[in-house]
Amino acid sequence: MSLKIQTPPPHGGKLVDLVIRDIDKAVSMAAGAVEFDIRPTRSIIDGSPIRNVYREVMSIAYGFFSPLEGFMTRNEVESVLKERRLLSGWLFPFPIIFDITEDELRKLNVKEGDRLLLRLKGQPFAILDIEEVWRFNPKDIADRTFGTPERNPEVVRRRFDEKHPGWLIYRSMGGVALAGKVHVINEPIFKDPYNRFWYPPAKSREEIQRRGWRTVIAHQTRNVPHTGHEHLMKNAAFMGDIEPCHGILVNAIIGAKRLGDFVDEAILEGHEAISKYGYISPRRHMVTMTLWDMRYGNPLESLLHGIIRQNMGCTHHMFGRDHAAVGDYYDPYSTQILWERGIPSFGLTAPPYDLDKGLKIRPVNIKEFWYCPKCGEIAYSDTCGHADVAQRFSGSFIRGLIAEGIEPPPIIFRPEVYRVIVKWWRVYNYPFVNRRYLELKERELEVDLKPMEVSSRR
Amino acid sequence: MPYKIAVILDKSRIERIRGTPVEKEVKDLYGGYLKVIELTVPDEIAQRILKEFPRARIDARGFIEETPVAFKRELFEVIVKLKSTGPEVFGELLKPDRLGKIKETAAKEDEYLPPPNVAYCG
């Protein structure tokens, strides 16, 4: 058997493509459907937008979530919650639910077998063929999605609550689910700068092939990169097969963010600056994005990341400390526990690559990089013997510097990346996500839609 | 468990503590590119800060971060006033009138922070 690693197949064997590109076909599919204007999920605590289901429609239809083809039925959600598998048996970490309220259901007056026309920004966007209408208790789904210390003692350290943004998304849902297959019938047009980073799985695989990359390591991001991230990328990429990985694919999660996070535009262009200014050669680096309102589910989120990036054609995925985590709900190394030995209490009795209908992407579990004043360099935590004096990187610390108007020193933050932050700071009068940005982002979204005439039902 | 909080020192802040006992506590960070003072924060004070400023969090290093800029500025002013980095700093900082002033300024911070004057190299 050759030691050379090849591009893995999509999760489930085949990339999902549920985008209708023929306008006549799209119009005829929408004919007679009942209209529904997509609206954001708003926090039950303060009413701020925390999710827009259009991002899930996009990620399903363009194949990021392959083999998932639509919103889940009750049985499928139960299967996911019990053993993190779709009804087809393929691993999948999160319930994907199209939720509405009882009041909306009454107004829509739809049932199994009906077709819903989903409108976005006032235009036809997608259709949902209703296979099942079912009801759920949002708090129960939220608790079971993320786990509890009693049920999942391997990784859950404390009970989830409304301070956890992912738990809050499920907790704030409407309680009625419309399950069924979706099709995008009016392809959204990405605005600048998002358009430069839109590589759905089929296009990403083409690009990887065009660049001649046989091995590609994925880097998950929801942050503007500091040099700790850069060292993680550079060093993790040494893990390839007979040579280091040919490519580093940065995949930013774009969607509703927490207050205080960097804005999406700065995240994308900040990563772009890393190769634009040669800190990682552009021959070896590409920046992409996925639409998803992060659930911050640490090990579970890492499973979704593995699925997305395998679908995009990556052979490896780097996972660091506190992967996609917020607060101290999970053990900081939960993701690494999953990818090293599995989490039986979530139904994952072995690592995702050793399970039937599991993943083919290879994890590269990395601890952390820190600045060591004794070594006088940025060092890997398991290699450097000076833990007592090590100075760790902290995104929060860097955000604090930036807020105080202090340019972070180049050893922890590239000046060109800082200038990207300042560029968007001037646009929004604020360097981070605040309530105004959240509302603006919700209103404007990342996309526009072309007008489309259809004979739907109101 | 005690936590820490760091105050970054730029040139003007270093001048203001020169010759005081606080100067001896200045630490180099990241190869001397940054100068900071680190204060130990008793657990009950840390919990109070987290409660008063909901966006504040403890980072992976055990430092209280993401407090409002106004909080850090006032913290530095108290350090200068008391010429100390001891626990009495927090007693002064969290006095109702001072805290009220911090919160009032911090509320405006959520809407606007003046961008620095650097050129975009895009």
Side-chain angles (χ1 to χ4, degrees):
Chain A
M1 193 177 81
S2 172
L3 293 177
K4 288 185 177 174
I5 294 169
Q6 304 296 334
T7 303
H11 189 46
K14 187 170 168 280
L15 277 184
V16 166
D17 177 11
L18 295 169
V19 181
I20 306 299
R21 296 172 177 88
D22 176 331
I23 290 185
D24 292 339
K25 187 175 176 192
V27 169
S28 82
M29 283 174 82
V34 179
E35 286 183 6
F36 180 77
D37 282 297
I38 287 179
R39 42 118 190 108
T41 303
R42 289 191 175 269
S43 158
I44 53 162
I45 305 297
D46 63 9
S48 58
I50 51 176
R51 170 213 184 205
N52 191 309
V53 75
Y54 111 86
R55 298 191 181 99
E56 284 152 59
V57 174
M58 292 289 282
S59 288
I60 294 168
Y62 282 90
F64 290 89
F65 292 174
S66 298
L68 188 67
E69 293 189 320
F71 290 93
M72 295 179 179
T73 60
R74 181 196 296 276
N75 282 345
E76 189 139 60
V77 166
E78 287 301 323
S79 168
V80 165
L81 293 175
K82 191 172 161 220
E83 50 180 0
R84 307 292 156 172
R85 288 183 187 275
L86 302 174
L87 289 175
S88 58
W90 294 96
L91 285 188
F92 203 89
F94 290 120
I96 302 293
I97 298 173
F98 190 96
D99 67 300
I100 58 173
T101 61
E102 286 287 354
D103 193 40
E104 285 170 326
L105 179 63
R106 209 165 25 250
K107 285 179 189 151
L108 283 171
N109 193 26
V110 289
K111 57 186 184 315
E112 285 86 348
D114 286 343
R115 178 169 278 183
L116 207 58
L117 172 68
L118 306 177
R119 288 160 50 99
L120 188 66
K121 297 177 94 169
Q123 295 299 330
F125 161 54
I127 55 167
L128 167 60
D129 286 311
I130 302 172
E131 183 186 334
E132 183 186 358
V133 179
W134 59 282
R135 287 170 176 78
F136 62 99
N137 175 339
K139 183 173 181 303
D140 176 60
I141 293 282
D143 284 340
R144 288 201 289 148
T145 295
F146 295 98
T148 64
E150 298 77 27
R151 277 190 232 139
N152 313 94
E154 309 101 309
V155 291
V156 180
R157 293 288 166 262
R158 73 182 176 93
R159 191 165 274 277
F160 284 77
D161 55 24
E162 67 281 350
K163 285 195 178 153
H164 186 276
W167 187 91
L168 187 61
I169 287 176
Y170 286 102
R171 176 66 188 86
S172 301
M173 286 185 175
V176 178
L178 303 180
K181 196 168 176 175
V182 289
H183 287 85
V184 167
I185 58 163
N186 186 12
E187 276 198 277
I189 300 158
F190 280 90
K191 294 191 252 193
D192 189 60
Y194 301 104
N195 47 5
R196 297 205 297 282
F197 306 101
W198 178 241
Y199 285 85
K203 186 178 163 194
S204 167
R205 283 172 173 260
E206 277 171 27
E207 180 63 18
I208 286 170
Q209 199 171 26
R210 189 189 71 75
R211 288 171 179 241
W213 292 352
R214 181 169 46 73
T215 48
V216 187
I217 188 161
H219 175 70
Q220 149 63 24
T221 188
R222 58 177 166 119
N223 252 314
V224 172
H226 54 58
T227 53
H229 297 124
E230 201 184 302
H231 277 76
L232 171 67
M233 284 189 263
K234 286 172 173 169
N235 285 281
F238 279 112
M239 176 74 85
D241 45 23
I242 59 164
E243 55 193 336
C245 275
H246 294 165
I248 299 169
L249 184 140
V250 176
N251 189 236
I253 295 296
I254 299 299
K257 290 282 192 303
R258 289 181 310 161
L259 297 176
D261 282 351
F262 285 111
V263 300
D264 281 332
E265 296 91 332
I267 293 169
L268 289 164
E269 290 195 341
H271 275 279
E272 184 181 45
I274 292 293
S275 50
K276 194 170 173 183
Y277 296 99
Y279 297 107
I280 298 176
S281 165
R283 290 191 308 277
R284 208 173 168 218
H285 181 261
M286 68 187 269
V287 183
T288 64
M289 66 180 198
T290 298
L291 295 173
W292 169 243
D293 301 306
M294 265 187 66
R295 306 300 199 255
Y296 300 91
N298 196 326
L300 301 169
E301 202 86 25
S302 80
L303 189 54
L304 183 69
H305 292 160
I307 291 170
I308 291 169
R309 282 84 195 228
Q310 181 178 321
N311 285 332
M312 293 179 80
C314 296
T315 50
H316 298 69
H317 200 305
M318 59 186 91
F319 294 117
R321 186 184 193 275
D322 272 328
H323 183 87
V326 58
D328 53 359
Y329 298 91
Y330 286 110
D331 182 291
Y333 288 104
S334 298
T335 285
Q336 315 214 347
I337 291 170
L338 168 67
W339 291 87
E340 193 187 317
R341 53 181 190 265
I343 305 175
S345 67
F346 279 133
L348 304 162
T349 52
Y353 48 85
D354 276 343
L355 289 168
D356 183 40
K357 297 195 170 181
L359 293 179
K360 302 290 181 205
I361 198 166
R362 291 157 189 255
V364 179
N365 283 344
I366 296 271
K367 289 193 176 159
E368 62 182 314
F369 291 87
W370 57 39
Y371 178 78
C372 173
K374 191 132 183 176
C375 300
E377 63 186 15
I378 293 171
Y380 182 52
S381 57
D382 268 8
T383 307
C384 174
H386 308 122
D388 51 332
V389 293
Q391 295 164 3
R392 298 167 76 181
F393 286 92
S394 159
S396 303
F397 174 73
I398 293 171
R399 282 194 291 274
L401 274 182
I402 291 169
E404 285 202 62
I406 298 167
E407 178 167 350
I411 195 164
I412 58 170
F413 215 81
R414 302 296 184 190
E416 296 89 346
V417 176
Y418 179 65
R419 276 154 183 73
V420 166
I421 291 172
V422 174
K423 172 189 165 184
W424 290 101
W425 188 342
R426 288 190 183 127
V427 171
Y428 294 117
N429 284 321
Y430 201 71
F432 312 115
V433 170
N434 59 7
R435 288 192 197 286
R436 196 173 47 194
Y437 178 83
L438 273 181
E439 289 293 348
L440 180 77
K441 172 110 179 164
E442 174 47 46
R443 204 167 50 244
E444 299 291 326
L445 301 175
E446 298 82 10
V447 296
D448 281 322
L449 284 101
K450 280 188 279 195
M452 187 182 197
E453 289 294 325
V454 296
S455 55
S456 49
R457 284 190 287 145
R458 283 192 180 274
Chain B
M1 163 187 169
Y3 297 97
K4 290 205 165 185
I5 192 162
V7 178
I8 308 291
L9 303 173
D10 57 11
K11 280 181 190 156
S12 70
R13 282 182 176 175
I14 287 172
E15 280 309 311
R16 291 184 64 199
I17 56 164
R18 199 175 294 285
T20 72
V22 177
E23 190 182 6
K24 294 190 185 68
E25 296 183 45
V26 174
K27 252 183 94 173
D28 279 346
L29 263 191
Y30 306 119
Y33 281 103
L34 282 178
K35 308 275 184 203
V36 295
I37 311 170
E38 290 178 1
L39 292 86
T40 300
V41 189
D43 187 45
E44 70 275 17
I45 300 286
Q47 296 312 322
R48 169 107 190 266
I49 294 170
L50 294 178
K51 196 174 153 214
E52 298 288 356
F53 302 101
R55 294 249 298 275
R57 57 182 89 158
I58 310 282
D59 75 4
R61 306 169 305 156
F63 278 68
I64 301 175
E65 291 292 354
E66 310 212 15
T67 52
V69 174
F71 178 84
K72 285 279 182 86
R73 282 192 185 135
E74 203 62 16
L75 173 58
F76 179 72
E77 292 303 323
V78 174
I79 291 169
V80 171
K81 183 182 163 192
L82 302 184
K83 296 187 176 56
S84 165
T85 56
E88 65 276 16
V89 167
F90 297 102
E92 175 65 27
L93 183 69
L94 297 173
K95 277 184 178 166
D97 54 335
R98 210 180 265 275
L99 186 62
K101 201 174 93 185
I102 295 171
K103 284 189 166 182
E104 197 180 309
T105 316
K108 292 176 198 148
E109 260 176 45
D110 281 348
E111 286 304 308
Y112 177 73
L113 278 174
N117 194 20
V118 295
Y120 177 59
C121 50

